[in-house]
């Protein structure tokens, strides 16, 4: 079942439609070309059908749009994973992108946390401020209520490093969202 989520502020208007068990079909329009490319990579590698329609104050910079997309996508993911006890819960994945190597671990735990390790050299890739990669991952993790560790182990090209991280996240989410039967993966008996 597709989840729809919208958030409208004085800075942005974000609409997200998310189907966890889709075919990796993207319909992404944020006004930030590189960010569209990253969200497309995330959706394809996760196997999600994902629509993102975002307008924001890009005349200021990309900060509000990128962060708010992370917030709304996280909120949609939280709704889509309400039956967390029926999910694999954990996922981790390495992705090489030419000279760069990224690793991502996910715990669909209802315990929001972000660990982010990536040294980026350039201030921008296209119209995307590279510092916004971390802000997107944080906004997504906090609003999805997941524990997320995203690491770029090495690389030289910032485009490759960021893309590897988004693809690693997509693959890790795909694994963590796998349906499972049996007992809850928690010593507490609930997530």
């Amino acid at each position: 079942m597709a989840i729809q989520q919208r958030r409208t502020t004085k800075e942005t208007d974000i609409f997200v439609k998310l189907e966890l068990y889709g075919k990796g079909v993207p319909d992404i329009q944020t006004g930030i070309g590189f960010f569209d490319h990253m969200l497309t990579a995330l959706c394809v590698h996760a196997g999600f059908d994902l629509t993102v329609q975002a307008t924001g104050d890009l005349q200021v910079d990309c900060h509000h749009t990128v962060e708010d997309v992370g917030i709304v996508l996280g909120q949609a993911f939280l709704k889509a994973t309400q039956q967390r006890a029926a999910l694999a819960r954990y996922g981790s994945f390495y992705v090489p992108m030419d000279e760069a190597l990224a690793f991502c671990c996910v715990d669909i735990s209802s315990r929001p946390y972000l660990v982010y390790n990536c040294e980026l050299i350039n201030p921008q890739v296209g119209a995307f401020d590279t510092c916004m990669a971390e802000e997107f991952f944080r906004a997504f993790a906090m609003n999805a209520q997941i524990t997320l560790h995203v690491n770029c182990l090495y690389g030289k090209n910032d485009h490759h490093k960021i893309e590897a991280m988004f693809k690693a996240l997509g693959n890790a989410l795909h694994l963590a969202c796998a349906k499972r039967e049996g007992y809850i993966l928690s010593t507490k008996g609930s997530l």
Side-chain angles (χ1 to χ4, degrees):
M1 178 179 77
I3 300 296
Q4 296 185 27
Q5 188 74 24
R6 175 167 236 122
R7 180 173 191 259
T8 303
T9 70
K10 292 181 179 179
E11 298 167 337
T12 64
D13 182 15
I14 313 294
F15 171 79
V16 166
K17 183 177 176 184
L18 173 66
E19 171 58 61
L20 287 186
Y21 305 104
K23 296 182 180 180
V25 177
D27 180 10
I28 314 292
Q29 299 171 24
T30 68
I32 308 161
F34 181 74
F35 189 41
D36 291 356
H37 180 43
M38 294 303 96
L39 293 172
T40 296
L42 171 64
C43 141
V44 167
H45 284 262
F48 298 163
D49 291 345
L50 178 62
T51 298
V52 177
Q53 297 170 350
T55 56
D57 54 357
L58 296 179
Q59 75 282 2
V60 175
D61 64 13
C62 70
H63 189 290
H64 300 139
T65 301
V66 173
E67 184 177 37
D68 287 5
V69 167
I71 290 169
V72 179
L73 181 56
Q75 291 170 343
F77 185 86
L78 178 63
K79 286 182 180 178
T81 58
Q82 285 191 354
Q83 301 301 318
R84 292 183 169 202
L87 301 179
R89 179 177 173 179
Y90 297 103
S92 60
F93 211 85
Y94 283 95
V95 168
M97 181 80 185
D98 296 343
E99 85 298 341
L101 181 66
F103 179 66
C104 179
C105 295
V106 171
D107 178 7
I108 301 177
S109 61
S110 301
R111 294 169 56 181
Y113 202 86
L114 174 69
V115 173
Y116 174 87
N117 293 298
C118 181
E119 291 185 28
L120 298 166
I121 299 164
N122 298 296
Q124 288 185 304
V125 176
F128 182 85
D129 295 343
T130 55
C131 65
M132 290 311 300
E134 181 174 5
E135 296 303 321
F136 170 80
F137 292 131
R138 178 177 293 107
F140 176 71
M142 296 303 123
N143 287 275
Q145 295 186 11
I146 63 172
T147 299
L148 174 59
H149 291 234
V150 183
N151 299 282
C152 184
L153 305 176
Y154 49 80
K156 293 181 180 177
N157 182 301
D158 286 346
H159 182 133
H160 296 163
K161 290 188 272 188
I162 296 169
E163 186 166 350
M165 290 188 293
F166 271 82
K167 288 179 176 178
L169 173 59
N171 280 284
L173 288 172
H174 180 75
L175 294 171
C177 289
K179 294 178 182 178
R180 65 181 302 277
E181 294 180 17
Y183 62 92
I184 298 169
L185 286 177
S186 171
T187 57
K188 295 176 178 66
S190 68
L191 294 175

